[in-house]
Amino acid sequence: GMYIFVPILLERSSATFMNLSLLTADFYSLVVALVLFHAKPSFLYFIAFCIIVGGLIIYNLAGDAPASRLSQRPSNFKSKS
């Protein structure tokens, strides 16, 4: 089921965003452990989830700016020809 939406996600965002999104699978496994097994999670799970979601938001808001800056050459750059 998930692989149906991969091309759509890659078209709208990037492979890095997809890989970061896959990190949220740990959160879903935590929810299942809470519901099915009545486990008591450490507070670190919630801190990690907030960091992952924050990273996704920051990455998506940054857009393509870092890549465009890397592709620019300085004006004094001389290629060896």
Side-chain angles (χ1 to χ4, degrees), residues 10-44:
L10 290 175
E11 182 179 298
R12 294 180 186 231
S13 190
S14 67
T16 305
F17 183 78
M18 184 185 78
N19 287 330
L20 289 172
S21 297
L22 291 175
L23 291 173
T24 59
D26 294 331
F27 179 72
Y28 296 127
S29 66
L30 173 67
V31 171
V32 169
L34 289 172
V35 173
L36 295 180
F37 304 117
H38 305 290
K40 293 184 179 179
S42 169
F43 70 94
L44 294 175

Side-chain angles (χ1 to χ4, degrees):
M2 179 183 90
Y3 294 107
I4 293 171
F5 297 108
V6 168
I8 297 168
L9 178 66
L10 290 175
E11 182 179 298
R12 294 180 186 231
S13 190
S14 67
T16 305
F17 183 78
M18 184 185 78
N19 287 330
L20 289 172
S21 297
L22 291 175
L23 291 173
T24 59
D26 294 331
F27 179 72
Y28 296 127
S29 66
L30 173 67
V31 171
V32 169
L34 289 172
V35 173
L36 295 180
F37 304 117
H38 305 290
K40 293 184 179 179
S42 169
F43 70 94
L44 294 175
Y45 283 108
F46 300 107
I47 292 173
F49 180 72
C50 291
I51 291 171
I52 290 169
V53 171
L56 286 170
I57 292 169
I58 292 169
Y59 178 79
N60 225 17
L61 290 177
D64 293 334
S68 64
R69 277 187 257 141
L70 288 174
S71 64
Q72 294 176 353
R73 291 185 177 179
S75 60
N76 61 357
F77 180 81
K78 294 181 182 178
S79 63
K80 296 180 180 179
S81 302

